[in-house]
Amino acid sequence: MTENHDPILSPQLSGPVLIIGTGLLGASIGLGLRAAGLSVYLQDISPTAEAVATDIGAGVPLSAVQARAEAGGEEFTPPSLVIVAAPPDIAGQVVASALNTYPQALVTDVASVKVQVLDQVLASGADARRYVGSHPMAGREKSGPVAARGELFQARPWIICPHEASSPNGVKMIRALAGELGSIITVLDVYEHDQTVALISHVPQAMSSLLASRLQDTPLYALGLAGQGLRDTVRIAASDANLWVQIFAANAQPVVQTLYGVREDLNRLINTLENPTGPGARLDLAQLMSEGNAGVARIPGKHGTSPTAFSRLTVLVDDTPGTLARLLADIGELEVNIEDLRLEHSTGAQVGMAEISVNPSKHDGLVKGLSERGWKVVK
Amino acid sequence: MTENHDPILSPQLSGPVLIIGTGLLGASIGLGLRAAGLSVYLQDISPTAEAVATDIGAGVPLSAVQARAEAGGEEFTPPSLVIVAAPPDIAGQVVASALNTYPQALVTDVASVKVQVLDQVLASGADARRYVGSHPMAGREKSGPVAARGELFQARPWIICPHEASSPNGVKMIRALAGELGSIITVLDVYEHDQTVALISHVPQAMSSLLASRLQDTPLYALGLAGQGLRDTVRIAASDANLWVQIFAANAQPVVQTLYGVREDLNRLINTLENPTGPGARLDLAQLMSEGNAGVARIPGKHGTSPTAFSRLTVLVDDTPGTLARLLADIGELEVNIEDLRLEHSTGAQVGMAEISVNPSKHDGLVKGLSERGWKVVK
């Protein structure tokens, strides 16, 4: 065996797969892999989490398999793939330990930060060639194995983060894993990854939390008037505090670099608002708004299309069972495909607004067709 | 007539109503009032805007009515109500002018800031007893009379802002106006109003624009990975820059007071992230997150219920016409009322996720019923 020989002999995704950490992500991966017919071992420092994951069918406890082998039952087949689904701050250490314990296995992790995990693996002296980082961008508001679903990763991005020494066969194996779970694969190095998630996930989380934090002392009558704008901007402020403390700490540098820019703009805005009739004040405000316009316009829409590629209309729907279903049935009969749908309510209203995005070529016909069928179309 | 006599003799909403400014809001009010059978006069400094509003049926041009009267046709009936739907920065001046021109009329405006408008009216020396401020909290991404709809205000909040000297009959007339247009009425004084909209609308707009502005230089591959979190937090950053410059300038003081708090928290966050392993760093981050958690939890849900009052589940829907309709028809047949619905897509995916909120007592039965009907239920 030469030094350049790939330490992972086969790029195939085959069992057994060991999942260390059977929370939401680990147990969901287990369910998905079991559904694909793979053998899955489970291991968690929490006996309860491991038992729940086992009960829902995410796999079998590693300890039970090993105990049976030691008792002279079936022979223990070591895992060819180890997936570390431990919290971000210990993921690197658990990966290093798995590399040492299973010297034939490819090891990946699913933490949402990647530089820190790789640094810990490299510093550990373990065989880092058999480590390839992963970041499946999926989650739920609920946590723990009881919330796990095998479909959690379907149609979600899965970022694969190989490093310089990563096994090419190992990278292929992780591609097979993400593909098996229905994810859309993107490959980035760990630095690109952490910069990317700082911008598209961690800084938005910080801004949403900073804004929501202002609502702590807001009179309730004011919050009762809140519209969709406020609700949308603070929605993610409800996220798991413990997890986010680890994420911010682990990705502090890229996040703070972006926050410097936010602080500069915020200071400019505050200075302008302190003297709103001063020279250049209107221009400063216009610049803030137009820079925001320009930034949001760069986010691609569904299927990678431009965000302005769809036309919207709003239909009034009352608050009784089946109304929305009838509306969508009518839209289906008009042979229009809905690109996006959002249901809005005002506090105290018994009437909602269904905002529907469609291909622009379908817009006018849909408005006409729905109006003819008696729907109140607002846009 | 004593000094305390109400200058507005009748609280009834009766025509003619004069709408000054026939953009989106003015023309929409015209359409709504015409549908209610009221006579509506229209006036706009833009002949095009006035003509479009006339063409869509929002009313008749004031100039044409006056010309007919001068030519010896029907007598000119002055308006009993004048609604000023001019841009925020000139609304006060237009209100004052209308108070002078129509000495029997109640005058309101629909600007989204209220202290500045009232100050301008009081300073003008016009008969401010006949002025009552309004803020219908409705809008669209599109602007101008061509986007107008009579249903625009249905089930939306309408804040009425009387001042100390406002005519009691005038306040009743504005209640009748908002009620006729289907709005949900809240009464606040102008200071409460401006504080409220600073918190629930203007500061969220500033935060969204500050965040979106960071996306101007983000690599496109990173934006392609953006999930619903980013999309939601920056959605309103796409708002009309010209309008928002006026709003920020007119409500600078309450907005900047709240932004001081944001800046303080942001500086604390930046200091923590500059030394994420320092003493107390984790505690600082946990505090930011939990303050955000606490703030967002205070926003009431639909119909004023607590935001945690509903259970959510997610159903995978493929991207063909009628799929969502079939799903909602199935939910209707299971006799479950949908409290909220959100459709999510990942870039490049041909499969979407319909996130459905229902009464918690219906959750488990719905998951079972939908699964039995072959739907993939994720949550």
Side-chain angles (χ1 to χ4, degrees):
Chain A
M1 210 189 269
T2 73
E3 254 207 77
N4 289 327
H5 195 90
D6 195 325
I8 300 298
L9 297 178
S10 161
Q12 300 301 314
L13 178 65
S14 61
V17 174
L18 168 62
I19 298 173
I20 303 178
T22 61
L24 171 66
L25 291 182
S28 293
I29 293 173
L31 286 171
L33 294 181
R34 290 286 299 123
L38 288 166
S39 162
V40 176
Y41 301 153
L42 302 174
Q43 186 179 17
D44 199 294
I45 49 165
S46 154
T48 304
E50 192 178 286
V52 172
T54 304
D55 285 348
I56 63 169
V60 293
L62 175 69
S63 56
V65 177
Q66 288 177 324
R68 276 203 298 277
E70 278 167 28
E74 70 230 68
E75 205 184 331
F76 175 67
T77 312
S80 57
L81 170 64
V82 179
I83 301 171
V84 173
D89 58 356
I90 59 163
Q93 169 195 331
V94 178
V95 167
S97 158
L99 287 167
N100 293 332
T101 308
Y102 306 102
Q104 310 297 321
L106 190 279
V107 181
T108 190
D109 73 308
V110 298
S112 47
V113 289
K114 296 265 74 81
V115 172
Q116 177 179 289
V117 177
L118 178 61
D119 283 351
Q120 288 174 350
V121 171
L122 293 175
S124 75
D127 179 9
R129 298 175 303 163
R130 291 184 288 108
Y131 168 67
V132 176
S134 279
H135 179 196
M137 298 182 75
R140 300 184 58 183
E141 299 83 16
K142 298 188 231 171
S143 60
V146 75
R149 299 291 181 275
E151 300 83 8
L152 188 66
F153 309 99
Q154 286 220 24
R156 299 288 186 185
W158 187 303
I159 308 179
I160 301 176
C161 298
H163 58 96
E164 280 185 6
S166 287
S167 147
N169 277 339
V171 176
K172 286 178 193 158
M173 194 191 287
I174 299 303
R175 279 187 172 273
L177 169 69
E180 186 62 54
L181 296 171
S183 292
I184 300 152
I185 295 165
T186 297
V187 177
L188 298 177
D189 73 35
V190 291
Y191 301 98
E192 290 169 334
H193 172 276
D194 281 11
Q195 293 280 353
T196 295
V197 293
L199 270 162
I200 68 170
S201 171
H202 305 173
V203 171
Q205 177 64 52
M207 295 295 281
S208 186
S209 295
L210 287 168
L211 173 60
S213 152
R214 294 295 105 205
L215 304 179
Q216 290 178 99
D217 307 318
T218 306
L220 279 176
Y221 73 80
L223 292 175
L225 294 164
Q228 205 58 38
L230 178 66
R231 285 169 205 273
D232 281 354
T233 41
V234 298
R235 185 179 60 85
I236 55 173
S239 303
D240 180 351
N242 285 329
L243 176 64
W244 276 98
V245 169
Q246 295 185 35
I247 292 174
F248 283 130
N251 203 24
Q253 192 52 27
V255 171
V256 84
Q257 289 298 333
T258 300
L259 289 180
Y260 289 146
V262 172
R263 177 162 67 182
E264 202 174 301
D265 287 350
L266 176 61
N267 282 328
R268 199 181 65 194
L269 175 60
I270 285 175
N271 289 339
T272 303
L273 291 176
E274 283 172 338
N275 186 11
T277 55
R282 302 289 168 120
L283 187 62
D284 273 355
L285 293 171
Q287 199 175 334
L288 166 75
M289 284 301 304
S290 64
E291 286 176 0
N293 288 171
V296 71
R298 296 185 73 234
I299 302 177
K302 182 192 164 194
H303 304 175
T305 51
S306 135
T308 53
F310 299 117
S311 297
R312 276 183 255 184
L313 62 157
T314 299
V315 183
L316 297 186
V317 287
D318 68 24
D319 206 24
T320 51
T323 305
L324 202 55
R326 280 194 293 110
L327 171 63
L328 292 167
D330 281 356
I331 295 171
E333 281 175 23
L334 293 165
E335 293 185 357
V336 176
N337 190 19
I338 294 177
E339 299 294 342
D340 205 352
L341 189 147
R342 177 180 288 261
L343 197 63
E344 290 188 16
H345 285 275
S346 299
T347 304
Q350 295 303 319
V351 174
M353 311 265 183
E355 186 183 89
I356 296 165
S357 301
V358 297
N359 187 301
S361 69
K362 300 283 188 181
H363 178 272
D364 293 353
L366 184 58
V367 170
K368 186 163 169 289
L370 289 178
S371 303
E372 283 168 4
R373 286 160 187 246
W375 295 99
K376 281 199 185 174
V377 183
V378 181
K379 307 184 188 187
Chain B
M1 208 189 269
T2 73
E3 253 209 78
N4 289 326
H5 195 90
D6 195 323
I8 300 298
L9 298 179
S10 162
Q12 301 301 314
L13 178 65
S14 61
V17 175
L18 168 62
I19 298 173
I20 303 178
T22 60
L24 171 66
L25 291 182
S28 294
I29 293 173
L31 286 171
L33 294 182
R34 291 285 300 123
L38 288 167
S39 163
V40 177
Y41 302 153
L42 302 174
Q43 186 178 17
D44 199 294
I45 48 164
S46 155
T48 304
E50 193 179 284
V52 171
T54 304
D55 285 349
I56 63 169
V60 293
L62 174 69
S63 56
V65 176
Q66 288 176 324
R68 275 203 297 277
E70 279 167 29
E74 70 230 67
E75 204 183 331
F76 176 68
T77 312
S80 57
L81 171 62
V82 179
I83 300 170
V84 173
D89 56 357
I90 58 163
Q93 170 195 330
V94 178
V95 167
S97 158
L99 287 167
N100 293 331
T101 307
Y102 306 102
Q104 310 299 321
L106 191 279
V107 181
T108 190
D109 73 306
V110 298
S112 47
V113 290
K114 296 265 75 77
V115 172
Q116 177 179 287
V117 177
L118 178 61
D119 283 351
Q120 288 173 352
V121 171
L122 293 175
S124 74
D127 179 10
R129 297 174 303 163
R130 291 183 289 108
Y131 168 68
V132 176
S134 280
H135 179 195
M137 299 182 74
R140 300 183 58 185
E141 300 81 17
K142 295 189 232 172
S143 60
V146 74
R149 298 292 181 274
E151 300 84 8
L152 188 65
F153 309 98
Q154 286 219 23
R156 299 289 185 182
W158 187 303
I159 307 179
I160 301 177
C161 298
H163 57 98
E164 281 185 7
S166 288
S167 148
N169 277 340
V171 175
K172 286 178 194 158
M173 195 191 287
I174 300 303
R175 280 186 173 273
L177 168 70
E180 186 62 56
L181 296 171
S183 291
I184 300 152
I185 294 165
T186 297
V187 177
L188 297 177
D189 73 36
V190 291
Y191 301 98
E192 290 168 335
H193 171 276
D194 281 10
Q195 294 279 353
T196 294
V197 292
L199 270 161
I200 68 170
S201 171
H202 305 174
V203 170
Q205 177 64 52
M207 295 296 279
S208 186
S209 295
L210 287 167
L211 173 60
S213 152
R214 294 294 104 207
L215 304 179
Q216 291 178 98
D217 306 318
T218 307
L220 280 176
Y221 73 80
L223 291 175
L225 294 164
Q228 206 58 37
L230 178 66
R231 286 168 204 273
D232 281 354
T233 41
V234 298
R235 186 179 60 84
I236 56 173
S239 303
D240 180 351
N242 285 328
L243 176 65
W244 276 97
V245 169
Q246 296 184 34
I247 292 174
F248 283 130
N251 204 24
Q253 192 53 25
V255 171
V256 83
Q257 290 298 332
T258 301
L259 290 180
Y260 288 145
V262 171
R263 177 162 67 181
E264 201 174 302
D265 287 351
L266 176 61
N267 281 329
R268 198 180 69 195
L269 174 61
I270 286 175
N271 289 339
T272 303
L273 292 176
E274 283 172 339
N275 187 11
T277 55
R282 300 291 169 119
L283 186 62
D284 274 353
L285 293 172
Q287 199 175 332
L288 166 76
M289 284 302 303
S290 64
E291 286 176 359
N293 287 171
V296 71
R298 296 184 72 235
I299 302 177
K302 183 190 162 193
H303 305 175
T305 51
S306 137
T308 53
F310 299 116
S311 297
R312 275 182 257 183
L313 61 157
T314 298
V315 183
L316 296 186
V317 287
D318 68 22
D319 206 23
T320 51
T323 305
L324 203 55
R326 279 194 295 109
L327 170 62
L328 293 166
D330 281 357
I331 294 171
E333 281 175 23
L334 293 164
E335 293 183 0
V336 176
N337 189 19
I338 295 177
E339 300 293 342
D340 205 353
L341 188 147
R342 177 180 288 261
L343 196 63
E344 290 188 16
H345 284 276
S346 300
T347 304
Q350 296 302 319
V351 175
M353 311 267 182
E355 187 183 88
I356 296 165
S357 300
V358 297
N359 187 301
S361 69
K362 300 284 188 180
H363 178 273
D364 293 353
L366 184 58
V367 170
K368 186 164 169 288
L370 288 178
S371 303
E372 282 169 4
R373 286 162 186 245
W375 294 100
K376 281 199 183 173
V377 183
V378 181
K379 307 187 186 186

